[in-house]
Amino acid sequence: MSHFGKIKWYNSGKGSGTILPEEGGDALPFRKSDLQQEGQEPKSDQRYSYETSEVDGGKKRAVNLRQQGESQTVEEQARAQQG
């Protein structure tokens, strides 16, 4: 299931960052390799869809991040959430 959130921070030198879920909760870590558009570097406050994966004994992290355009319609967002 896809979730939505905004990039809290991203360190291009380390190739890692965190995303803050829209539904609340703690920021989730991600790596550059988790980005679907690896050529683009995420910036703070950009909206992304993502899925979660459990690592290191149950800790969650964001994977399969996809940047969401500002002009995306409600129907497109619903399709993205459904997978």
Side-chain angles (χ1 to χ4, degrees), residues 2-72:
S2 291
H3 304 277
F4 293 91
K6 289 192 176 180
I7 301 297
K8 186 172 180 180
W9 64 267
Y10 180 74
N11 182 321
S12 59
K14 291 183 178 181
S16 63
T18 60
I19 186 166
L20 196 56
E22 286 182 356
E23 66 264 12
D26 294 331
L28 300 170
F30 69 90
R31 289 181 252 163
K32 184 172 183 169
S33 60
D34 296 317
L35 298 167
Q36 293 299 309
Q37 298 102 346
E38 284 190 52
Q40 289 184 314
E41 291 202 355
K43 294 178 177 53
S44 294
D45 292 327
Q46 283 182 325
R47 188 172 192 251
Y48 276 74
S49 68
Y50 64 93
E51 297 170 12
T52 58
S53 176
E54 289 190 12
V55 294
D56 298 331
K59 291 183 180 181
K60 289 187 178 181
R61 71 182 187 102
V63 295
N64 298 327
L65 283 85
R66 296 179 189 269
Q67 187 174 5
Q68 301 297 298
E70 293 295 320
S71 62
Q72 193 174 35

